Amino acid sequence: MTSFQFSVKSRLARPSLARTGIIRTPHGEIKTPAFIVVGTKASVKAMTPEQVSSVNAQAVLANAYHLYLQPGHKLIEKAGGLSKFMNWPGPTFTDSGGFQVLSLGSGYKKVIDMVGGESTEITKKTKTERKAFVDEDGVTFFSHLNGSRHRFTAELSMQIQHAIGADIIFAFDELTSLADPYDYQIESLKRTHDWALRSIEEFNRLRLANPTRPYQALFGVIQGAQYEDLRRMTSKFMAGLPVEGFGIGGAIEKKRLGQIVRWVTDELPEEKPKHLLGISEPDDIFEAIDNGIDTFDCVSPTRVGRNGSAYTYFGRQNIVASRFRDDFRPLIEECACYTCQNYTRAYLHHLLHAKELLGYTLMSIHNEYFIIKLVDDIRLSIENGSFNNLRAQWLKNYYKDK
RNA sequence: GCAGGGUUAGUGAAGCGGUCAAACACGGCAGACUGUAAAUCUGCUGGCUUAUGCCUUCGUAGGUUCGAAUCCUACACCCUGCA
């Protein structure tokens, strides 16, 4: 009965493409712009679903590759789908495994700067031995868990994501790195197009074969790295496909994030939702929303939190640093999150040094709350016309006094 | 009391005549982290106006040697066995 629907509620005057809206899914609504929390393995790391909810998260994004390996998509299907399995009643997304084509492939054991700093790749000192190999038809993965060999194709990614049963799923794509040459980007893009067509076909087949399943929406994925012609070309191509929304992915130069997003949103149909994959730095969020992005997801709040950094209005603060040892203030005085309401920097510093599990939880709660609150504030600001003010006020402080 | 083993940088622990300011681990300090191989990774970790340099270190005090954390002697403390 409930299917997928996206409606735009309000928008800013051009040239801004910022807008608010609502995505309706079988598991509930998402007010956009929205930050989607990442729960790769059907768990937002260190957080219970109640905590995820308390942080005002509207939806969770999991990963087809990880869940296929463990515990297996069939098991999740048997459990009644992702939402039920993980006890998250709200909307869910799954990524196709496309990211792992890079992270386990050419990017394996490398520090890949996904948003293009000065150096795009720094090879780690450990020996590199990739675990993913791309060809025209698909990707061969060697499990990071036990080395076993697996073959991903667009069809299998769809079967996995269909079984997992998230509300929004992504076509299988290849993520390239900024360091890949132009010729390779073209070659890869052809592959991603082919895989998108095959994803649609397989997805339609599965949908017809299982008419009683809750409705799932398929999003096409836009790649093209830092090249305007490629991003526009692939966007035009994807715009013509029968998909219900778009994921914008790939290595994106931070300096030109807004511009790159704009090339894409220029070419895509306005009435469909656009998800920017893997972005959550405050300045990037402003840029992206201004250029027409409706949803984001990112591992950063939880990962960075577990590793000791807290988001603040003055950038990320490394709470494990010795200067916080006897700092008895909350992470942010005015922050309404559970962590800031109840715990001090000194306590968090201690928990992180002692590797106490509670530390990871409290840091994750704060960081998720912080980023979600930012996007919520932006949503309000679009509705009441104060977007530019909010942005200016925010960015004035963020990279200062770090 | 006798016999044997031990004492190395914040901790644990390698080293057993020169290539030793001394492996490694932990800890400490700093940094990184953007569709999670990530409770991870990187760098530094005796001192010095940071250097293919100098100085002070390997229980304490002497000694052997061109040269000692490494060999010898004495002492101190610790452990094990026998009395």
Side-chain angles (χ1 to χ4, degrees):
Chain A
M1 140 225 153
T2 337
S3 62
F4 182 86
Q5 197 191 5
F6 174 62
S7 52
V8 174
K9 199 170 150 198
S10 65
R11 61 187 90 222
L12 249 41
R14 290 213 166 227
S16 177
L17 293 181
R19 60 196 194 166
T20 66
I22 297 179
I23 294 172
R24 293 192 171 82
T25 78
H27 288 90
E29 296 181 349
I30 302 169
K31 291 186 188 123
T32 66
F35 179 71
I36 312 304
V37 162
V38 175
T40 301
K41 296 189 271 188
S43 155
V44 179
K45 291 188 195 294
M47 294 175 76
T48 64
E50 288 73 18
Q51 289 165 334
V52 172
S53 174
S54 78
V55 114
N56 302 320
Q58 302 188 74
V60 173
L61 179 143
N63 186 294
Y65 170 79
H66 296 259
L67 294 175
Y68 155 85
L69 288 182
Q70 189 181 53
H73 52 294
K74 296 285 183 194
L75 186 100
I76 294 174
E77 185 171 44
K78 199 171 163 186
L82 177 64
S83 178
K84 198 170 171 203
F85 184 53
M86 69 182 286
N87 187 34
W88 169 255
T92 50
F93 294 54
T94 43
D95 183 30
S96 63
F99 180 75
Q100 281 63 40
V101 179
L102 175 68
S103 68
L104 298 179
S106 62
Y108 188 65
K109 282 193 175 165
K110 288 175 183 171
V111 175
I112 304 160
D113 187 345
M114 293 304 301
V115 283
E118 288 311 306
S119 58
T120 53
E121 287 192 9
I122 303 151
T123 306
K124 285 187 189 172
K125 283 184 177 165
T126 40
K127 82 173 171 188
T128 62
E129 180 196 322
R130 58 157 71 187
K131 297 212 175 291
F133 300 86
V134 193
D135 59 69
E136 288 313 299
D137 184 53
V139 183
T140 299
F141 287 107
F142 292 89
S143 162
H144 66 276
L145 297 174
N146 62 11
S148 56
R149 184 189 171 117
H150 302 271
R151 178 73 182 161
F152 258 53
T153 57
E155 288 77 15
L156 181 61
S157 178
M158 288 301 107
Q159 288 156 21
I160 294 167
Q161 293 190 78
H162 181 262
I164 290 171
D167 299 303
I168 294 171
I169 71 174
F170 289 98
F172 192 49
D173 66 313
E174 178 186 3
L175 170 52
T176 56
S177 116
L178 281 172
D180 288 321
Y182 184 79
D183 286 351
Y184 186 85
Q185 303 287 2
I186 294 179
E187 185 190 317
S188 167
L189 218 41
K190 280 187 196 152
R191 205 151 37 219
T192 292
H193 288 183
D194 180 46
W195 293 356
L197 293 170
R198 286 166 53 183
S199 291
I200 292 166
E201 195 172 326
E202 178 66 6
F203 180 62
N204 287 336
R205 188 186 72 74
L206 290 163
R207 183 184 270 165
L208 281 172
N210 301 275
T212 60
R213 286 289 183 87
Y215 192 89
Q216 291 182 289
L218 175 63
F219 281 26
V221 180
I222 313 288
Q223 292 291 345
Q226 67 272 49
Y227 301 104
E228 179 173 3
D229 56 339
L230 299 185
R231 297 235 65 143
R232 285 192 186 275
M233 180 268 280
T234 190
S235 299
K236 278 179 188 154
F237 175 83
M238 292 286 170
L241 301 182
V243 291
E244 308 210 47
F246 305 93
I248 299 170
I252 291 175
E253 285 180 291
K254 189 179 176 77
K255 280 175 286 192
R256 296 200 287 160
L257 186 137
Q259 186 184 30
I260 291 169
V261 167
R262 187 58 163 250
W263 296 332
V264 172
T265 50
D266 262 356
E267 306 292 344
L268 293 177
E270 219 184 310
E271 70 279 7
K272 290 186 182 177
K274 287 130 199 139
H275 180 93
L276 184 59
L277 289 150
I279 293 295
S280 76
E281 283 304 304
D283 54 337
D284 297 335
I285 288 176
F286 277 105
E287 271 298 303
I289 290 175
D290 196 22
N291 287 288
I293 294 299
D294 302 299
T295 54
F296 312 84
D297 71 273
C298 196
V299 304
S300 192
T302 51
R303 179 193 286 172
V304 147
R306 263 178 283 121
N307 294 336
S309 285
Y311 278 98
T312 76
Y313 297 122
F314 305 102
R316 297 200 302 228
Q317 302 271 339
N318 204 356
I319 302 304
V320 292
S322 55
R323 66 179 180 280
F324 295 111
R325 186 167 34 226
D326 58 354
D327 186 335
F328 299 105
R329 295 173 293 172
L331 291 173
I332 299 177
E333 296 283 356
E334 321 83 78
C335 181
C337 85
Y338 171 74
T339 302
C340 290
Q341 289 297 304
N342 296 286
Y343 304 94
T344 64
R345 298 173 187 184
Y347 183 63
L348 294 165
H349 173 92
H350 157 68
L351 292 179
L352 292 164
H353 270 266
K355 297 183 171 27
E356 278 293 332
L357 271 32
L358 181 59
Y360 307 133
T361 297
L362 295 178
M363 291 294 287
S364 298
I365 286 174
H366 170 78
N367 283 349
E368 292 288 20
Y369 180 91
F370 185 87
I371 295 298
I372 289 167
K373 176 77 163 50
L374 166 63
V375 178
D376 288 351
D377 287 348
I378 292 174
R379 188 165 62 239
L380 277 174
S381 81
I382 295 168
E383 276 165 12
N384 66 27
S386 62
F387 177 80
N388 288 324
N389 288 342
L390 178 70
R391 181 188 202 163
Q393 175 202 323
W394 239 89
L395 299 182
K396 189 178 65 184
N397 294 326
Y398 195 69
Y399 286 113
K400 202 181 75 183
D401 188 36
K402 202 167 181 180

